[in-house]
Amino acid sequence: MDKHTGMTPIVKMITEVLCGLMLVFGAFIVLYGHITPGGGFPGGVMIALVYILITLAYGRVIVERKVSGIIASVVDDIGALIFWSVGMIGLFVGGSYLFNFLGKGSPFHILSAGTIIINNIAITLKVGMCLYAIFLALAILQRVVIDEPKEEEE
Amino acid sequence: MTLYFLDFVLFAIGIYALVAKRHIVKKILGVAIMEYSVNLFLILIGFKKAGVAPILTKDMDLVTFIKTAVDPLPQALVLTSIVIGLGTLALMVSIAIRLYERYGTFDMHEINRLRG
Amino acid sequence: METIIILHIILVFMIIGSLITVEIRNMLSAVISVGAVGFALSLAFLFLDAPDIAITQVIVEILSLVILIRATIKVDNVAIEKREHILSDRTALIFVGMILVFAWFAFQSLPTFGEPSMRVSQYYLMNGLREVGATNFVTSVILDYRAYDTLGEAMVLFTSISGAFVILRRWKKEQDKDFLRIDREH
């Protein structure tokens, strides 16, 4: 346990302050993706970066109590399901897959452009949790390589 | 025109790193450089002189916007391709780490000699 | 005009950075200089009127630097002294030179820099606000006109990540260290 408690208190304090701001900025990038530059892809990577920052600062064991790998893969699948079901609803309502079936709204408002905002959120969940899960897997592997390099020989 | 050529020089450096270097991580970095070059090339093709970004703001006239905006289509394709490049980079890095764990070296020739 | 000069400077910087990446001995320095190339690329995107891609490139570059440093740190950190066969080295150089010569001829048939042929994009720009309602036209191309492409690329991302998981998975005796079981462990 003492090996994985992370970095110095300075880094932990700065992480504590920064994490909320980064999450808010990621959510802003996603939700305003159809009005200002941004969208699901950069917002998802930024939300993954928040969890990776916590992992680097506090160690793997602490962060896996909050969001474990299995939760990450479930959220990832939920994102894919949202995207797929938006497409299927469009198929039944409008006659073509991924049809934009919601109202267009007035421009420059957050509730405009129909299904784009839902799809942005779905892509955010998918990209963010995918990258976080792959980082967890890489971190675990690194620990095993350093601690017991001889175990792989058979 | 010279911009296209300089961009292609970048691509050639990536190919050189991929072909002539023995270290696996050097090869991965070569693939990353090639990816940068291709993304930049697609954006360079869609650039318009004295253009504006394809994002409409409130004080902008729609007709002049249509005339001056740069091409949004390559930007949309490159946006997804950057994130997918990150996924493939993670795949390549995990293969490299697995090979190191198995053979104890990053040298491609050594790995080929040991089991090949 | 100034934009083109700035782009030339950025591209020369990127070429120097990638030459350092290819030729330096220390692997950590190689990874860091490829990071410098990536940040210069995001600056170039910003000058090419593509703010979406500049944001994405900065954030993705940070994450890929973390992954690459994670891969190279604490394992043997020095490049391999021995080179490839001398023949393969020279063959690679000749090959690259031939590609550059042919590329110079191929570039003559491309549209001139600064005057794109926007046959499809003209439709998107003219009808995007009326048909979709989003003021960011890149987003309206990604998630409305070409949402099917985006779905396919999300699947590509999923496939590459699952491939990485299959490679990194632990077998037999190591299975209990798998992160899927970490909840029960602690």
Side-chain angles (χ1 to χ4, degrees), chain A residues 29 32-39 41-43 45-46 48-49 52 56 60-61 64-65 68-71 73 76-77 80 83-84 97-98 100 104-108 112-116 119-120 123 126-127 130-131 133-146 148 151-154, chain C residues 51-53 55-63 66-67 69-75 129-144 146-155 157-158 160-165 167-170 172-174 177-180 182-186:
Chain A
I29 280 185
Y32 282 80
H34 53 293
I35 304 172
T36 53
F41 285 98
V45 183
M46 180 163 273
L49 269 178
I52 287 169
L56 289 175
R60 185 178 51 84
V61 179
E64 275 191 342
R65 283 189 205 136
S68 69
I70 197 149
I71 294 178
S73 41
D76 172 23
D77 295 343
F83 204 108
W84 176 80
Y97 193 66
L98 287 163
N100 197 342
K104 304 292 178 287
S106 58
F108 305 110
S112 65
T115 56
I116 281 183
N119 285 344
N120 259 336
I123 285 177
K126 182 147 185 48
V127 170
C130 257
L131 295 174
I134 192 73
F135 183 79
L136 271 186
L138 280 172
I140 289 170
L141 193 95
Q142 194 74 19
R143 183 180 64 103
V144 172
V145 167
I146 291 166
E148 41 223 337
E151 248 186 41
E152 279 295 308
E153 296 172 4
E154 291 170 1
Chain C
D52 284 290
I53 306 177
I55 292 174
T56 314
Q57 177 67 36
V58 167
I59 299 172
V60 164
E61 192 57 48
I62 293 168
L63 189 45
V66 170
I67 288 176
I69 287 177
R70 198 83 189 167
T72 51
I73 205 163
K74 286 187 181 172
V75 290
L129 195 61
R130 186 168 48 81
E131 287 181 357
V132 183
T135 52
N136 184 351
F137 285 79
V138 178
T139 306
S140 80
V141 171
I142 287 179
L143 288 175
D144 196 285
R146 291 187 168 262
Y148 210 71
D149 278 11
T150 308
L151 186 65
E153 301 201 30
M155 286 305 117
L157 183 68
F158 180 72
S160 70
I161 297 290
S162 5
F165 268 125
I167 289 163
L168 293 172
R169 192 167 49 191
R170 309 247 139 225
K172 295 172 198 167
K173 58 188 175 187
E174 302 166 311
K177 287 175 195 156
D178 197 342
F179 81 89
L180 296 182
I182 220 95
D183 303 28
R184 272 174 254 159
E185 208 177 307
H186 300 283

Side-chain angles (χ1 to χ4, degrees), chain B residues 4 41-48 69-72 74-75, chain C residues 116 118:
Chain B
Y4 292 161
F41 186 67
L42 287 177
I43 298 294
L44 280 175
I45 283 184
F47 180 66
K48 185 180 275 184
V70 302
D71 200 344
Q75 297 197 10
Chain C
M118 299 165 63

Side-chain angles (χ1 to χ4, degrees), chain C residues 24-39:
Chain C
I24 207 167
R25 283 279 159 78
N26 190 343
M27 286 317 294
L28 197 57
S29 312
V31 169
I32 289 170
S33 70
V34 90
V37 176
F39 287 123

Side-chain angles (χ1 to χ4, degrees), chain A residues 2 12 20 28 51 59-60 74 88 120 124 136 139:
Chain A
D2 53 340
K12 286 184 182 176
F28 169 77
Y51 287 109
R60 185 178 51 84
V74 166
M88 288 312 280
N120 259 336
T124 308
L136 271 186

Side-chain angles (χ1 to χ4, degrees), chain B residues 2-108:
Chain B
T2 49
L3 276 176
Y4 292 161
F5 191 73
L6 284 176
D7 187 39
F8 213 84
V9 169
L10 203 64
F11 188 81
I13 291 170
I15 287 183
Y16 174 72
L18 186 62
V19 173
K21 290 290 164 184
R22 287 174 68 161
H23 201 290
I24 282 187
V25 179
K26 279 274 171 76
K27 286 179 192 283
I28 293 175
L29 295 182
V31 174
I33 290 170
M34 282 161 68
E35 188 194 310
Y36 291 155
S37 145
V38 170
N39 288 343
L40 183 57
F41 186 67
L42 287 177
I43 298 294
L44 280 175
I45 283 184
F47 180 66
K48 185 180 275 184
K49 262 173 197 160
V52 294
I55 293 159
L56 191 65
T57 51
K58 272 178 187 169
D59 52 350
M60 214 179 266
D61 183 27
L62 192 59
V63 180
T64 51
F65 173 74
I66 289 170
K67 271 179 195 159
T68 55
V70 302
D71 200 344
L73 188 57
Q75 297 197 10
L77 298 182
V78 168
L79 184 60
T80 49
S81 116
I82 287 174
V83 179
I84 285 169
L86 186 55
T88 52
L89 184 84
L91 179 62
M92 286 188 289
V93 164
S94 57
I95 290 174
I97 290 178
R98 232 14 183 173
L99 281 174
Y100 183 81
E101 200 178 341
R102 183 106 186 146
Y103 296 108
T105 178
F106 273 135
D107 191 343
M108 274 311 280

